[in-house]
Amino acid sequence: MKSVLLFTCATWYALSVRAQASLYGQCGGIGWTGPTTCASGSVCTVSNAYYSQCLPGAASASNPTTSSAPTTAPGGGSPVSSSTASAPSSAPSASCSDLPANPGPLQLVGVNIPGFDFGCSTDGTCTVSGAWPPLTQYYGADGAGQMTHFVNDDGYNVFRLPVGWQYLTNDVLGGDLDEANAAEYDELVQACLATGASCIIDIHNYARWNGEIIGQGGPTNDQFAAIWSSLAAKYASEDKIIFGVMNEPHDIPDIDTWGQSVQAAVTAIRQAGATTQLILLPGNDYTSAEEFISNGSAAALMNVTNPDGSFTDLIFDVHKYLDSDNSGTNAECVTNNIDDAWEPLTQWLRCNGRQAFNTETGGGNTASCNTYMCQQVAYQKQNSDVLLGYVGWAAGNFMNTYVLSETPTESGSTWTDAALVSACMAPNAS
């Protein structure tokens, strides 16, 4: 059976003309200079503003928009439309596990800039006074300088900016954005935007508020939607903003009910006017890439849509560390995660016409992590049709002695990167 499949795929590619993208190949997106038409039997389908892919189907004169590629960044393109989004495949073809011939570069690569999430624990308890803005005007690290260095010297183009929910509302559940606290957080957001990079607004509460799970005994879906409505309205005109619905949900009793909570947030974001920015959808088990399918997150989040029923610009949020217990607390790495996590996930994504974004990964500045992280990054590059990229953990207010530190050292006007950043994480490293 395997030999038949390989022969079939080889024949398919041989028959594809030079000017056409192959089945599951890239056919459009921001910066794409390759073919924009697809081989017979497939149609160029918009996944998001950064990526269009040849998926099984036939082009129709009544629906020509499915073969056009986006030319603007999220927020700057045309409104989300079900006519430009492909439906999940109900019967994946055998060839959907094949690597694309020309996957193109990873679209988003960067690092987390923590500080506003300090004081938060994994039970969703966040002490407002524990937040420490990673900005020199608040006696924190030079987060603005770090981001400028990462963009100019390392080639990064995205930063994740974690923040506690309690900090945003000054500890009032269901409250509006606190004017003073939101202004301080916005200073970090604006410093990020000033670099030209994309900026992920990440509520870092583990699907909880003070120990109680959203939509399942804790904050109501309406309260969750309200904070996202406020944030989306504030940044609706910023095309470089990405909305990270929630950091690392875990121990969620009912994953389908959690999917409804995520849906409430997505609907609120879109209805607040942020109609085309990327939204990251998080699953259970600390958004584990390895458990995303088996724990039911994939099935539950497949049902989350934009208000018009499409899933354009809705990206699955996954995390994966490389240490022995997948916790991201150990300096040594023991796996590249390919066989157990990335291979099954990329196949599922490709078969279902969806994409994921690894917004937390990292390791110690050790030889073992250099080896395994380089392998993981190489694999993600080979599968960039379905993996948008990765964001390392972490710089910002973390000291250089932190076990997973990616904080660069500043000496005068010179920045020196952590070993793992220099070896594998920075795009310019390769």
Side-chain angles (χ1 to χ4, degrees), residues 342-410:
W342 297 117
E343 181 65 25
L345 179 60
T346 55
Q347 180 174 342
W348 183 89
L349 291 167
R350 198 169 286 127
C351 288
N352 286 278
R354 300 299 295 269
Q355 292 177 305
F357 188 5
N358 182 14
T359 61
E360 266 193 42
T361 190
N365 293 292
T366 61
S368 63
C369 289
N370 285 357
T371 297
Y372 287 117
M373 181 61 77
C374 286
Q375 293 170 356
Q376 176 175 281
V377 168
Y379 182 85
Q380 292 183 331
K381 289 179 179 177
Q382 293 169 350
N383 292 273
S384 61
D385 60 316
V386 293
L387 299 176
L388 290 189
Y390 57 87
V391 185
W393 187 269
N397 266 344
F398 281 113
M399 301 295 289
N400 302 99
T401 54
Y402 168 55
V403 65
L404 301 188
S405 176
E406 295 184 18
T407 305
T409 301
E410 182 182 12

Side-chain angles (χ1 to χ4, degrees), residues 108-424:
L108 295 166
V109 176
V111 64
N112 283 265
I113 308 293
F116 279 102
D117 58 312
F118 284 16
C120 292
S121 61
T122 58
D123 71 349
T125 299
C126 294
T127 303
V128 173
S129 61
W132 185 17
L135 297 164
T136 55
Q137 60 266 42
Y138 299 108
Y139 307 100
D142 186 6
Q146 290 179 15
M147 290 186 284
T148 299
H149 154 70
F150 282 129
V151 170
N152 293 342
D153 300 332
D154 291 330
Y156 283 136
N157 65 355
V158 64
F159 299 102
R160 186 167 176 255
L161 313 176
V163 62
W165 185 355
Q166 287 91 331
Y167 181 82
L168 291 171
T169 63
N170 202 24
D171 218 16
V172 178
L173 178 60
D176 294 330
L177 290 175
D178 178 79
E179 184 175 349
N181 290 358
E184 288 187 3
Y185 180 67
D186 184 60
E187 290 183 54
L188 183 64
V189 175
Q190 296 305 321
C192 175
L193 292 171
T195 69
S198 294
C199 309
I200 304 171
I201 294 177
D202 159 52
I203 296 183
H204 213 76
N205 277 67
Y206 305 89
R208 290 160 168 79
W209 175 288
N210 295 346
E212 300 297 329
I213 298 172
I214 298 167
Q216 301 184 49
T220 65
N221 287 350
D222 286 344
Q223 289 170 325
F224 187 40
I227 185 63
W228 273 117
S229 181
S230 297
L231 286 167
K234 185 176 180 67
Y235 296 108
S237 63
E238 296 287 354
D239 62 355
K240 291 288 189 177
I241 290 293
I242 298 172
F243 299 106
V245 167
M246 178 56 62
N247 175 70
E248 296 190 343
H250 64 88
D251 299 293
I252 303 298
D254 189 325
I255 190 62
D256 293 321
T257 299
W258 170 243
Q260 295 168 15
S261 298
V262 174
Q263 179 66 73
V266 169
T267 301
I269 290 168
R270 295 304 191 212
Q271 291 181 344
T275 57
T276 56
Q277 290 96 332
L278 301 184
I279 302 178
L280 308 181
L281 314 181
N284 204 359
D285 292 322
Y286 296 91
T287 60
S288 168
E290 183 174 349
E291 306 298 329
F292 183 74
I293 301 168
S294 62
N295 68 16
S297 296
L301 295 178
M302 280 284 284
N303 295 322
V304 177
T305 67
N306 292 303
D308 66 359
S310 72
F311 56 72
T312 304
D313 295 330
L314 302 184
I315 307 298
F316 298 124
D317 195 357
V318 295
H319 293 174
K320 201 72 179 81
Y321 287 97
L322 293 79
D323 52 355
S324 58
D325 59 0
N326 297 293
S327 65
T329 60
N330 303 291
E332 297 296 334
C333 296
V334 300
T335 177
N336 57 26
N337 294 313
I338 293 173
D339 291 341
D340 294 334
W342 297 117
E343 181 65 25
L345 179 60
T346 55
Q347 180 174 342
W348 183 89
L349 291 167
R350 198 169 286 127
C351 288
N352 286 278
R354 300 299 295 269
Q355 292 177 305
F357 188 5
N358 182 14
T359 61
E360 266 193 42
T361 190
N365 293 292
T366 61
S368 63
C369 289
N370 285 357
T371 297
Y372 287 117
M373 181 61 77
C374 286
Q375 293 170 356
Q376 176 175 281
V377 168
Y379 182 85
Q380 292 183 331
K381 289 179 179 177
Q382 293 169 350
N383 292 273
S384 61
D385 60 316
V386 293
L387 299 176
L388 290 189
Y390 57 87
V391 185
W393 187 269
N397 266 344
F398 281 113
M399 301 295 289
N400 302 99
T401 54
Y402 168 55
V403 65
L404 301 188
S405 176
E406 295 184 18
T407 305
T409 301
E410 182 182 12
S411 178
S413 60
T414 301
W415 293 86
T416 301
D417 282 316
L420 189 62
V421 172
S422 297
C424 299

